[in-house]
Amino acid sequence: MRWDCPRGLGVMGRGSERVSSRTLRTVLGTVAVIALALVLVAMGTGSQAFAAYNSEELAFVQLLNEYRASQGLGPVLLSDNLSLAAERHASDMAKYGFFSHTSLKSDWFPVGATFGERALLCGYVSGAAAENIAGGQPTAGEVMAAWKGSSGHNANLLRSQAKVVGIGFVTLDGSPCHYYWVADFGDDADSSAHVAPAVLGALYQQTDSRLAYSGTWKTVTTSYASGGSFRYANSSGASVNVAFTGTYVAWIAKKSPVYGKAKLILDGEAPFTIDLYSPSVRWKQKVWEKTLSDGTHTLRIEWTGLKTTGATDTNIGVDAFNVVGVLLKALVPVRYEDSNSRLVYKGIWYTFYATGSSGGSYKRANTDGASVTVTFEGTYLAWIATKGTTLGKALLSLDGGPAVCVNLAASTTQRQQKVWTTGTLAPGTHTVKIWWDPTNLAGKYISIDAFDVIGVLK
C-alpha cells in the first residue's frame, strides 16, 4: 500500500489565529510518511465519557509520563472526556481521508468544529489545552519519537500546565495514513480523569533462552527486526512455547507477502488462527496481544502450513514478546508413542504401520471393552490420533471426571491429529482414560498414535 499522508504544522492561539506550514521529516523508512500537527485552543463545557483504551493508547500515556518525569515534570492523568474527543476526531480523519485540526467531515461533530468545540461537546469543560495529531505511526513508541523530534509538538508533550491528556489511536486499512493519532492536553483535571494503568513491560527477544522452540527455525539478522534479528519457520512440527507470570503478553512479528497462518493456543484453551500475511513487508508488528488475570500463563505458537488468498508462502515468525510480568522457562511437550510400555491397554487393539503416523505406526480398536489409560506427573497432555472414514467415537475421562465424546470421523485420512488436550493443569499426578464408544456403528475404530506430555509418564 502507498501511504500518502498530508504534511503540515498549524498553530492557533487565544484571540488570534495564524497558520504556517513546513515539510516534516519522513519516518518508518520507506513505509510511511509522517504527518504531524498541533494546535492551541481554549476549551468549553459539556458532558461525555470514554473508557475503552487499546494497549497502544495506554502505552502512549505511560511513555509520556516517563518522558515528563525525565524532564522534571509531573505526570498527567488520563481524561476519558478528552479521549472521547481525540478518538472521534482520529476516526473521522481515517474514515473521511482528511488531516486537519478542523472537522472537515464527521459522524459526531458539526462541520468546521475546532478542537475546543469538540472537547466541549465531549465533556471537558475548563482550561486551555494543546493538541498533537499524527498519521502513519503504528506504535506508541514511534509516534512519541516523532513528536519529540518536532519542537512544537515536543513543547506540548512537556507542557508544564498540563494536568490531563486524552488519547485516540485509530487504524483503518485503505485510509491515506492507515494509522491516526490525536493527543489532547488539558490544564485541569476533570471528573473523568484517572491514573492510566501501565501496560508496557519487558521486551523479550526471540533469542531468549526461556523460549522453547521445536522443529526447524531459521535466524535472520537485520537491523529492521527488534534486537537485530528474528526467527522464521516453514515446516511441520515448528512451534514455540512461552511461559510467564503476569497480566499481559504481546507477540511481535514480521508480516509479509510470504507469510501464512499460525495456530495460537493460550493456557491450553481452544486454538485460534493468527494471519501474518501483509501485501507489503511490515516489521515489528504487534500481531496479537492479550490482557489477562494476574497469574502464570502459557502461550504456544505453531506452524500450520495454511495461508490466505494472496500469500505466496506459509512462513511464520517470531521477533519478540512484550510481557507485563516475568518470563519463565517454557517447557516443550515430550512425545510418547503408542507403543510405550507405560500405556495401559485393555481389550483388543491392533497395530497398523502407516506413512505419516507418529513413529510410523498407530494402534486402533473397534470392540467394546477396548481402552487405554495414561498416568503422568505433570501439567499437560495432548492425545494424537488418526482420523478418517473408518474411525468413530471415543469416550474420555480426565482424573475420573465425567466422560466426554471425541469423534475421530473425517472425510479423508488425517495423520497425527491433536484431537484433545487437557489444557494447563495443576502440577501433580493425572490420569486420562480413553475407550471405545459402544454407540459406534459396527466396524468403526478409535485410534492412538501418540501422547504429548509436559511431564513424565508413570
Side-chain angles (χ1 to χ4, degrees):
M1 177 187 295
R2 182 179 69 86
W3 293 356
D4 187 18
C5 295
R7 304 177 183 183
L9 178 67
V11 179
M12 180 182 298
R14 283 190 185 180
S16 64
E17 182 174 318
R18 60 185 179 86
V19 178
S20 61
S21 65
R22 66 177 180 178
T23 300
L24 299 175
R25 60 188 180 88
T26 300
V27 294
L28 299 177
T30 60
V31 180
V33 176
I34 236 183
L36 303 168
L38 66 122
V39 65
L40 299 177
V41 300
M43 294 172 39
T45 59
S47 177
Q48 195 61 276
F50 179 83
Y53 297 93
N54 61 47
S55 62
E56 290 299 335
E57 291 169 333
L58 295 176
F60 170 79
V61 180
Q62 186 173 338
L63 290 172
L64 171 65
N65 281 330
E66 289 174 358
Y67 180 44
R68 289 174 63 86
S70 72
Q71 303 300 308
L73 296 172
V76 291
L77 299 175
L78 184 57
S79 167
D80 293 341
N81 290 335
L82 275 182
S83 292
L84 181 64
E87 187 88 0
R88 287 182 170 180
H89 188 53
S91 178
D92 283 339
M93 289 194 294
K95 181 176 180 179
Y96 296 113
F98 68 91
F99 189 80
S100 172
H101 293 291
T102 301
S103 297
L104 303 185
K105 190 171 183 180
S106 176
D107 291 333
W108 296 282
F109 307 112
V111 172
T114 64
F115 163 70
E117 291 165 340
R118 291 192 297 269
L120 171 66
L121 290 171
C122 291
Y124 190 81
V125 299
S126 63
E131 179 177 86
N132 287 356
I133 64 175
Q137 300 78 22
T139 68
E142 287 170 279
V143 79
M144 272 295 292
W147 281 337
K148 286 164 69 175
S150 165
S151 60
H153 300 84
N154 187 60
N156 284 347
L157 299 177
L158 300 178
R159 183 179 174 85
S160 60
Q161 309 99 306
K163 296 295 188 295
V164 293
V165 66
I167 185 66
F169 173 52
V170 170
T171 300
L172 183 63
D173 289 337
S175 60
C177 295
H178 193 81
Y179 305 101
Y180 292 80
W181 291 86
V182 176
D184 295 333
F185 301 85
D187 293 347
D188 290 302
D190 64 334
S191 61
S192 74
H194 56 90
V195 175
V199 295
L200 291 179
L203 189 65
Y204 297 96
Q205 301 300 331
Q206 44 83 25
T207 54
D208 197 290
S209 62
R210 287 165 289 188
L211 302 176
Y213 291 89
S214 296
T216 303
W217 290 79
K218 296 180 180 180
T219 301
V220 177
T221 300
T222 172
S223 60
Y224 291 109
S226 177
S229 67
F230 71 99
R231 292 186 186 184
Y232 76 95
N234 194 338
S235 61
S236 179
S239 65
V240 59
N241 282 16
V242 185
F244 66 98
T245 297
T247 58
Y248 171 85
V249 60
W251 170 21
I252 312 300
K254 175 185 177 182
K255 301 187 76 172
S256 162
V258 298
Y259 276 58
K261 298 179 179 181
K263 179 190 292 185
L264 192 149
I265 304 166
L266 177 65
D267 291 338
E269 299 296 331
F272 51 95
T273 300
I274 303 296
D275 193 351
L276 301 179
Y277 166 77
S278 169
S280 60
V281 176
R282 296 184 183 177
W283 297 96
K284 294 185 287 190
Q285 298 296 294
K286 186 179 293 182
V287 298
W288 175 85
E289 64 180 329
K290 185 71 173 179
T291 299
L292 302 159
S293 58
D294 195 9
T296 299
H297 303 281
T298 60
L299 177 67
R300 181 175 174 85
I301 299 167
E302 300 177 356
W303 179 84
T304 66
L306 304 175
K307 61 185 179 68
T308 194
T309 301
T312 57
D313 212 335
T314 59
N315 296 333
I316 66 169
V318 173
D319 195 355
F321 293 96
N322 185 269
V323 175
V324 176
V326 179
L327 195 67
L328 305 175
K329 179 67 176 177
L331 299 176
V332 177
V334 175
R335 175 151 293 190
Y336 295 92
E337 300 296 341
D338 63 285
S339 57
N340 193 283
S341 61
R342 284 167 286 186
L343 303 178
V344 180
Y345 290 94
K346 291 185 178 180
I348 300 172
W349 289 84
Y350 305 93
T351 299
F352 284 78
Y353 298 90
T355 301
S357 295
S358 180
S361 68
Y362 70 97
K363 285 184 170 58
R364 66 183 190 180
N366 66 347
T367 57
D368 196 9
S371 69
V372 61
T373 300
V374 190
T375 302
F376 67 100
E377 181 84 20
T379 58
Y380 171 87
L381 177 143
W383 170 21
I384 311 301
T386 294
K387 301 179 71 173
T389 57
T390 62
L391 280 296
K393 295 178 291 183
L395 295 174
L396 180 148
S397 175
L398 170 63
D399 291 337
V404 297
C405 182
V406 179
N407 195 347
L408 305 180
S411 58
T412 59
T413 300
Q414 301 172 19
R415 306 293 188 194
Q416 296 193 54
Q417 298 297 296
K418 187 184 296 182
V419 296
W420 181 85
T421 75
T422 61
T424 302
L425 302 170
T429 300
H430 301 281
T431 300
V432 174
K433 182 179 179 180
I434 301 167
W435 65 98
W436 187 77
D437 188 340
T439 66
N440 275 318
L441 296 175
K444 293 294 183 180
Y445 290 87
I446 63 173
S447 69
I448 303 295
D449 194 357
F451 293 98
D452 287 343
V453 177
I454 295 181
V456 295
L457 291 189
K458 298 187 70 176

